[in-house]
């Protein structure tokens, strides 16, 4: 069992940066792939980024490539999402997830409660 708690969201201006953190409890954190998803009002939850259990492989949706970086520290049971050059269209609730999948939210077993990111223009 893994419990996930996100932090680091907030209100920023376009072009600013934020770093989201996801702290995991449970001794099996390092055995899971981790992902970040986001959901804007009235829209479906969408994939943002994912990282393999070792951190050796990362995946991004096209709209964030070159701006967002996912990383993890297994010693700290934490996964991060560094978000640079934020745009108003990045506004959403961001969720951390753990599981065996990459792109599909259906492949993730564990979810955090979400953290709001709002980017003003």
């Amino acid at each position: 069992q893994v419990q996930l708690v996100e932090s680091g969201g907030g209100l920023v201006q376009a072009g600013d940066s934020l770093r989201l953190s996801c702290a995991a409890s449970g001794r099996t954190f390092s055995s899971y792939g981790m992902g970040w998803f986001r959901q804007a009002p009235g829209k479906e939850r969408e994939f943002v980024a994912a990282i393999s259990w070792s951190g050796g492989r990362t995946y991004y949706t096209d709209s964030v490539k070159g701006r967002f970086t996912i990383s993890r520290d297994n010693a700290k049971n934490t996964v991060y999402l560094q978000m640079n050059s934020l745009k108003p269209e990045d506004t959403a609730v961001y969720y951390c997830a753990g599981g065996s999948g990459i792109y599909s939210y259906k492949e993730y077993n564990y979810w955090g409660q979400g953290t709001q990111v709002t980017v003003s223009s």
Side-chain angles (χ1 to χ4, degrees), residues 17-116:
S17 298
L18 277 176
R19 188 176 80 157
L20 304 184
S21 298
C22 174
S25 63
R27 292 176 292 178
T28 59
F29 170 79
S30 61
S31 64
Y32 288 100
M34 298 296 295
W36 286 96
F37 288 76
R38 65 187 180 187
Q39 188 166 19
K43 295 188 177 181
E44 294 187 353
R45 189 168 299 192
E46 66 169 347
F47 168 79
V48 176
I51 189 166
S52 62
W53 67 270
S54 67
R57 288 171 291 174
T58 57
Y59 311 86
Y60 299 93
T61 191
D62 286 346
S63 64
V64 308
K65 285 180 181 177
R67 300 188 298 123
F68 291 12
T69 303
I70 188 171
S71 61
R72 68 188 297 165
D73 185 338
N74 287 342
K76 296 182 178 180
N77 278 11
T78 303
V79 63
Y80 305 97
L81 185 68
Q82 178 66 42
M83 306 186 294
N84 298 330
S85 302
L86 282 161
K87 303 176 180 180
E89 50 263 44
D90 294 318
T91 295
V93 177
Y94 282 71
Y95 297 91
C96 169
S100 58
I102 299 177
Y103 300 108
S104 173
Y105 71 90
K106 297 179 182 179
E107 298 174 314
Y108 288 82
N109 306 103
Y110 306 105
W111 291 87
Q113 82 289 350
T115 186
Q116 176 70 47

